[in-house]
Each structure stands twice: as C-alpha cells, then as structure tokens.
Amino acid sequence: HLGFDALSPTVARSLLGDEPLIGVSTHAPDEVDQAALEGADYVHLAPIFAPKSKAATRDALGLDALRDASRHGIPVIAQGGIDESNTQAVLQAGAAGVAVTGAILMSDDPGEQTARLRAALDEGI
C-alpha cells in the first residue's frame, strides 16, 4: 500500500511485477482516477467523515465524493469517521469496504464494537 508521498503505482508495479496488489492512499476523487490510470488495484479514500481517533487535518469528503470516487473503475476502501451507524450508507455510496480505527479503538468495548461493525457490514453486503 502506497502512501500519498510514496512512489507511483507505475514504479511500484515495475519493481514488483504484475502479481502483487497495489493500493494507494487518496484524499479526493480525482486522485482515485489518477491511481487507477497508474495501475493501482485499489485505493483507500479518506476522510469520508470527521475522524474519531484524531483531530481532523482536512475537511471530510462526504458521501457524494465517495460516490464520485467509486465510479472510477477501481475498488475504494473508505475510512474516516465510519462506524456501525453509517457503514451501510458508505457501502451504498459505492465503497468496496471500510477501514476503521477510531470506532474500535475509542470504544469502551472494542470487541463488541467490532462485532457491531461486522454485523453492519454483513447487512450491507
């Protein structure tokens, strides 16, 4: 997985070959399109909502930006402020999956929170 300041997917692919999956961190729908054009297999798009685990360093993108990003022909993993209350909306907006930090780590019962998130994901599939 390549961070925003890492080498390009094209360079990574030339080093790794065709078999490994290559993902890219993105923060806007146009970055998703660029990652797809450069040969990434998936992208991580954040923040969809305000993060729960840290202070926001950029504005939340929202579901409309996620919908737009999900139309670029590449799977989008959404992160940022996602929990069981908004997981289905994120999936309905086109996300292939979610990455979650704050909802679990900030919970009084991380195991129970993970189970609730898993149930919400299963309902959305």
Side-chain angles (χ1 to χ4, degrees):
H1 186 86
L2 306 171
F4 71 93
D5 59 350
L7 50 95
S8 73
T10 304
V11 173
R13 181 71 63 210
S14 72
L15 295 170
L16 299 172
D18 292 332
E19 194 172 325
L21 291 177
I22 295 176
V24 176
S25 291
T26 61
H27 299 98
D30 62 328
E31 293 176 12
V32 173
D33 190 43
Q34 186 62 37
L37 290 172
E38 292 180 3
D41 296 297
Y42 72 92
V43 296
H44 172 270
L45 180 66
I48 304 305
F49 306 112
K52 296 178 182 293
S53 63
K54 62 183 180 180
T57 58
R58 60 186 78 225
D59 291 338
L61 296 168
L63 294 174
D64 287 339
L66 176 57
R67 276 186 206 89
D68 183 21
S70 298
R71 293 184 186 122
H72 292 265
I74 186 169
V76 176
I77 306 300
Q79 187 168 19
I82 297 171
D83 60 26
E84 78 277 0
S85 73
N86 57 25
T87 297
Q88 292 212 8
V90 168
L91 295 175
Q92 290 170 356
V98 300
V100 177
T101 304
I104 294 171
L105 293 180
M106 307 304 281
S107 171
D108 291 336
D109 188 342
E112 175 60 27
Q113 179 62 34
T114 301
R116 288 198 316 257
L117 181 62
R118 178 74 254 174
L121 284 167
D122 290 344
E123 288 177 25
I125 294 175

